[in-house]
Amino acid sequence: MVSDNSSVTSSNRSPSSKFGNSFTTRIFSDVAGDITISVDGESFLLHKFPLVSRSGKIRKMIADGKDSNISKLELLDLPGGPQTFELAMKFCYGMNFEITTTNVAPLRCAAEYLEMTEDYREENLMARTEIYLNEVVVLSLEKSVEVLSTCETLPPIAEEVGIPNRCVEAIAMNACKEQLVSGLSRLDCASEATELKSGCLEWWIEDLSVLRIDYYQKVICAMGRVGVRPDSIVESLMHYAQASLKGVGKYQSWNPVRMKPSPGIGENDQKTIVETLVNLLPAEKSSSIPLSFLFGMLRMGIMVEATMACRLELERRIAFRLEMVSLDDLLIPSLLTGDSLFDVDTVHRILVNFLQLIEDEESEDCGYESEGLGSPSHGSLLKVGRLIDTYLAEIAPDPYLSLQKFVAMIEILPDYARVIDDGLYRAIDIYLKAHPMLSDQECKKLCKFIDCQKLSQEAGNHAAQNDRLPVQMAVRVLYFEQLRLKNALSGNSGDGFLSQKISSGVPSAAMSPRDNYASLRRENRELKLEISRMRVRLSELEKEQMFMKRGMMDKSGNGKTFFTSLSKGIGRIGIFSGPAGGKRQKSSRKSRGSDGKTGRSRSGWLKQCSAWT
C-alpha cells in the first residue's frame, strides 16, 4: 500500500506551473519541464519520461503527435479533475501520499483513464488502488459507504470498473455480519433495555442516509438478497426518509403553502425519493411498518404529486391494518383548490381496499369456525365502522364538503359494520347543521341511512326533538321508541321485530351448493348482528329497569320524567298529523285534555306509523 507519509503540494506556487516549482526542482533539479498538460483549464508543467513510463494514454498521445517534440497536451473529462490528476502525477514521480476512502475511487478511475496498468510498470497506480479497495474498503461497512458516496460525482467509468457494485455488496455483507453479531449480543445482554440494544446494534442505519437515492436503492436490494432483517430495513427506510424529506414525521404540522417545495429546490428529486422508498418497502406480512410512517409517506406523495401507483400501494398497505388507524391519521388535508378541506377520496379508496380484504378473507374461509362473534374480520369491521363514523363527524362541518362525497363514505360500509347508529346519526346531524341550504329531498336522502331500530335511547330522544331532521324521520324514531317501551313494560327483549328480517334458513333445493353456502353465510352474519344488537338492548333495558325502580321509590315523583318526555313526543306527533297550521296546535292541546280524543288520535297515529314502516 502506498505510504501515508506524504507532503502536501506547496500552495504558493503558480497555477500555470504547478509541478515546475515543486517536485521537478527537487527530483530532477537539472532537468527543466518539457511538457505542459491541461486538465479542466488548469495547466501542469511536467516531464515526459516519468509520465510515459507509467501512463499508457500519455505515451500514446505523445507517440501519435505530428510533432515529435510535442510540448502541450490536454486531457478531457479526467475523473476527479485536477486534484486527482495531481495525485496521479505524484505517483508517477515517486512521491509518497496517502490513499484514503475519499480519493481511492477517483484515483482508481483516473488510473483506468490514464491506462496506468501493470503492462507499463509493476505495482502501478491501478494495482495500488485495487489493493486498497480489496484489503481495506470492502472489509468495513463504514468505509464502503464513504467510498460509495464519492462515486456519486464520478463519470460512468466508475460503473465500468465496478467500484459501486463492490461497495454495495460489501455494505450488504457487512450489515448481515452485524446482524449475526447482534443476535449473539442479544443473548449475552438479555437484561438490557430493548431500545438501548437496538440503537447500538443498528448503528449503520444513520450512515446509509448520506447515499444518493439510486445507490441507496441498490444497497437495500442487496441487503434483502443476503438476508438482512426486514425490520432493520424498515428502520433504515424511515431514517432515510426523515433525513431526505420534510414533513414525513407524524407530528409535523401540515401547511401546503409553506411545505410545498419549489421546482428549483429539487421537487422532482423528492418525488423520486418517495416513489423509490415505497418500492423498497418489505412485504407487509414480513414486517411491521409503523402506520405513522405510511401516512407520512402518503401525505408527502400527495404533496410532490407522486405517481398514482405509488399512492395506491401506500393506501393498500394502510388498508391491511385500518382497524389500528387513529382519527388524526385519516385527516389528510386536500391540496386541490376549491375542494373540501380534507382528502375524502383517499380515505374512501383505503376503505374500499379494506372491505375488499374482508371479502377475500371470507371467501377463502370454507368453514364456520371463524364466523363467530369473535372472528378477526368481524371485529375489525366493527372497529372500522366506529372509526369511519367518527371521521364523518369530524369532516361534516366542512362547508365545502359535497353531499355526494359524504354519502359515498356512508354507503360504502355494509349494514352489519354498525351495531348501533348513534355515531352515524351524530355525523349526519352535524352535516345538516353545517349545510342549512340542503333541500328537503337531499335531507331525506341523507337520513335514510339511519336505522331507527339501531339508535340508543339517548340518541332516539335527541332525534325525536331534532328540528333539522325531516318529519318522517322524527315520526319513525318515536314509533320505534314506543315499541321499545311497550316491549320493556311487557317483559319482552325489545328486539323481536328484528327477527322478521332473517329468513327461515332452509336452503332451496333449486339453488346451487355455492348459492346455498352464500345464503347461509349471509344469514349467519345477520344472526351475529342481531345478537350484538340484543346485547346492546339488554344493557339499555337493565339501565331503564334500574331507573324505573329508583323512580318508584322516589316519593318526589321524579320517576315520571321518562313518561312525561314520552307524552311530549306523542303531543308533537299530533302536530304532524293535524289538519293544518295553528289549528294543529290547538287540536293537540285539546286532545291532551280528554282521554277519548287522545285515544282516537293515538290510534290514528299508530295506523299512520304502520303505513310508513
Side-chain angles (χ1 to χ4, degrees):
M1 188 173 65
V2 178
S3 173
D4 58 355
N5 298 324
S6 61
S7 59
V8 181
T9 307
S10 176
S11 60
N12 58 1
R13 62 181 182 271
S14 172
S16 62
S17 58
K18 229 174 194 181
F19 289 86
N21 298 330
S22 174
F23 321 138
T24 56
T25 303
R26 184 166 40 189
I27 300 176
F28 301 101
S29 57
D30 298 333
V31 181
D34 55 2
I35 187 170
T36 301
I37 298 180
S38 177
V39 178
D40 293 342
E42 191 167 346
S43 300
F44 297 85
L45 181 58
L46 305 167
H47 302 86
K48 294 180 182 178
F49 175 73
L51 304 186
V52 298
S53 64
R54 288 188 179 273
S55 173
K57 184 178 182 65
I58 295 179
R59 176 183 296 187
K60 292 176 184 178
M61 293 177 68
I62 294 176
D64 294 341
K66 297 180 180 180
D67 187 0
S68 59
N69 294 324
I70 185 172
S71 61
K72 290 185 178 181
L73 291 178
E74 183 178 7
L75 299 178
L76 302 175
D77 301 326
L78 178 75
Q83 294 80 10
T84 303
F85 181 74
E86 181 178 345
L87 294 178
M89 292 305 99
K90 278 187 176 184
F91 183 82
C92 292
Y93 279 94
M95 299 191 66
N96 293 332
F97 65 93
E98 182 181 8
I99 296 180
T100 65
T101 56
T102 305
N103 60 31
V104 64
L107 280 174
R108 175 63 181 85
C109 294
E112 188 77 17
Y113 179 89
L114 295 172
E115 300 178 15
M116 300 177 69
T117 63
E118 299 297 296
D119 297 336
Y120 301 98
R121 191 72 174 267
E122 292 183 359
E123 295 186 358
N124 211 341
L125 182 60
M126 185 180 295
R128 292 293 186 89
T129 53
E130 283 291 336
I131 292 174
Y132 186 84
L133 287 171
N134 295 330
E135 296 183 358
V136 178
V137 175
V138 299
L139 300 181
S140 169
L141 189 151
E142 185 178 3
K143 287 183 171 60
S144 299
V145 173
E146 293 176 1
V147 173
L148 183 59
S149 62
T150 61
C151 295
E152 298 174 0
T153 58
L154 295 177
I157 192 174
E159 298 286 348
E160 296 175 6
V161 299
I163 298 178
N165 291 336
R166 279 188 283 177
C167 291
V168 166
E169 295 298 328
I171 293 171
M173 291 303 299
N174 283 292
C176 190
K177 293 177 182 178
E178 290 287 340
Q179 176 177 296
L180 295 177
V181 173
S182 68
L184 297 176
S185 301
R186 202 166 307 193
L187 295 177
D188 297 336
C189 308
S191 60
E192 296 183 8
T194 304
E195 295 80 3
L196 179 61
K197 289 188 293 183
S198 61
C200 297
L201 297 175
E202 309 299 346
W203 57 268
W204 50 266
I205 290 177
E206 186 175 356
D207 294 343
L208 297 183
S209 61
V210 302
L211 296 176
R212 199 172 61 192
I213 185 62
D214 54 341
Y215 286 152
Y216 180 78
Q217 180 181 15
K218 293 180 180 180
V219 169
I220 296 299
C221 293
M223 285 183 173
R225 290 195 302 268
V226 299
V228 176
R229 287 191 302 264
D231 56 345
S232 299
I233 293 178
V234 171
E235 290 180 12
S236 179
L237 293 172
M238 293 173 58
H239 190 277
Y240 190 91
Q242 293 171 355
S244 305
L245 303 171
K246 295 180 181 179
V248 178
K250 179 177 180 180
Y251 300 102
Q252 177 74 30
S253 60
W254 185 270
N255 188 338
V257 177
R258 177 173 59 85
M259 290 180 57
K260 190 171 179 63
S262 60
I265 310 179
E267 182 178 357
N268 292 332
D269 294 339
Q270 290 191 333
K271 176 181 177 182
T272 303
I273 291 173
V274 171
E275 295 173 356
T276 303
L277 293 181
V278 172
N279 291 332
L280 291 175
L281 290 174
E284 57 277 350
K285 293 184 179 180
S286 63
S287 65
S288 178
I289 306 174
L291 286 169
S292 58
F293 175 67
L294 292 177
F295 275 101
M297 293 296 295
L298 179 58
R299 294 188 181 200
M300 182 58 71
I302 295 173
M303 189 177 67
V304 300
E305 299 179 356
T307 60
M308 183 55 67
C310 172
R311 293 166 58 181
L312 291 176
E313 175 64 17
L314 289 169
E315 293 169 5
R316 186 184 67 85
R317 290 176 176 271
I318 292 172
F320 271 100
R321 291 178 288 160
L322 186 58
E323 70 276 6
M324 303 171 61
V325 172
S326 65
L327 176 61
D328 292 337
D329 292 331
L330 292 181
L331 296 177
I332 304 174
S334 176
L335 300 181
L336 299 178
T337 306
D339 196 8
S340 56
L341 298 178
F342 299 99
D343 194 341
V344 182
D345 295 333
T346 297
V347 178
H348 186 271
R349 288 195 299 269
I350 294 174
L351 187 56
V352 169
N353 286 327
F354 171 78
L355 295 176
Q356 184 62 44
L357 291 172
I358 295 294
E359 183 178 349
D360 293 342
E361 290 179 1
E362 292 181 351
S363 62
E364 291 176 1
D365 181 23
C366 297
Y368 293 94
E369 290 80 3
S370 65
E371 285 295 318
L373 288 173
S375 64
S377 60
H378 185 257
S380 300
L381 189 59
L382 293 179
K383 291 181 181 178
V384 171
R386 291 191 293 268
L387 174 65
I388 295 302
D389 288 346
T390 308
Y391 174 77
L392 290 172
E394 191 70 22
I395 66 174
D398 180 10
Y400 302 101
L401 179 61
S402 64
L403 179 63
Q404 180 181 1
K405 288 187 177 182
F406 192 72
V407 169
M409 286 296 301
I410 295 176
E411 63 184 2
I412 187 64
L413 278 176
D415 180 69
Y416 55 89
R418 297 182 177 94
V419 177
I420 58 175
D421 276 7
D422 288 13
L424 178 59
Y425 164 70
R426 176 173 174 267
I428 292 178
D429 183 44
I430 295 174
Y431 188 85
L432 293 176
K433 183 178 180 180
H435 300 79
M437 303 305 295
L438 291 177
S439 64
D440 294 340
Q441 190 66 25
E442 290 174 333
C443 292
K444 292 179 181 179
K445 176 182 178 182
L446 191 57
C447 292
K448 73 177 183 180
F449 295 103
I450 302 176
D451 188 351
C452 299
Q453 303 177 32
K454 296 166 65 175
L455 291 178
S456 65
Q457 179 181 343
E458 293 79 6
N461 293 338
H462 185 278
Q465 304 175 18
N466 193 342
D467 296 334
R468 288 183 290 271
L469 299 180
V471 174
Q472 294 85 348
M473 174 69 184
V475 172
R476 287 201 304 271
V477 170
L478 289 172
Y479 173 71
F480 288 113
E481 284 297 318
Q482 188 194 38
L483 285 181
R484 182 185 303 174
L485 177 61
K486 179 180 177 182
N487 289 324
L489 295 176
S490 62
N492 294 331
S493 64
D495 283 306
F497 53 89
L498 292 177
S499 61
Q500 298 175 2
K501 294 184 175 182
I502 305 177
S503 61
S504 61
V506 180
S508 173
M511 297 174 63
S512 64
R514 182 176 180 180
D515 293 337
N516 285 334
Y517 177 69
S519 177
L520 290 174
R521 290 181 65 86
R522 285 194 299 270
E523 293 174 3
N524 196 16
R525 184 183 296 131
E526 291 174 354
L527 286 171
K528 290 192 301 180
L529 183 60
E530 184 180 6
I531 294 174
S532 301
R533 292 175 181 171
M534 291 176 65
R535 287 181 176 178
V536 174
R537 294 287 188 256
L538 180 60
S539 63
E540 292 181 357
L541 288 174
E542 290 176 351
K543 293 180 181 179
E544 293 177 7
Q545 184 180 13
M546 180 180 63
F547 290 149
M548 292 175 67
K549 287 182 178 180
R550 289 180 181 177
M552 294 174 63
M553 297 174 63
D554 192 353
K555 295 181 179 181
S556 61
N558 293 333
K560 299 179 181 179
T561 305
F562 176 74
F563 296 99
T564 305
S565 62
L566 180 62
S567 63
K568 291 182 179 179
I570 297 175
R572 184 182 174 189
I573 295 176
I575 298 177
F576 301 143
S577 60
K583 296 181 180 180
R584 228 180 260 169
Q585 298 179 359
K586 294 179 181 179
S587 61
S588 65
R589 294 193 188 98
K590 292 180 180 180
S591 63
R592 286 196 295 268
S594 63
D595 295 336
K597 293 182 180 180
T598 303
R600 287 193 297 271
S601 62
R602 187 175 302 171
S603 61
W605 168 71
L606 289 175
K607 291 180 180 179
Q608 194 172 15
C609 289
S610 60
W612 282 329
T613 56

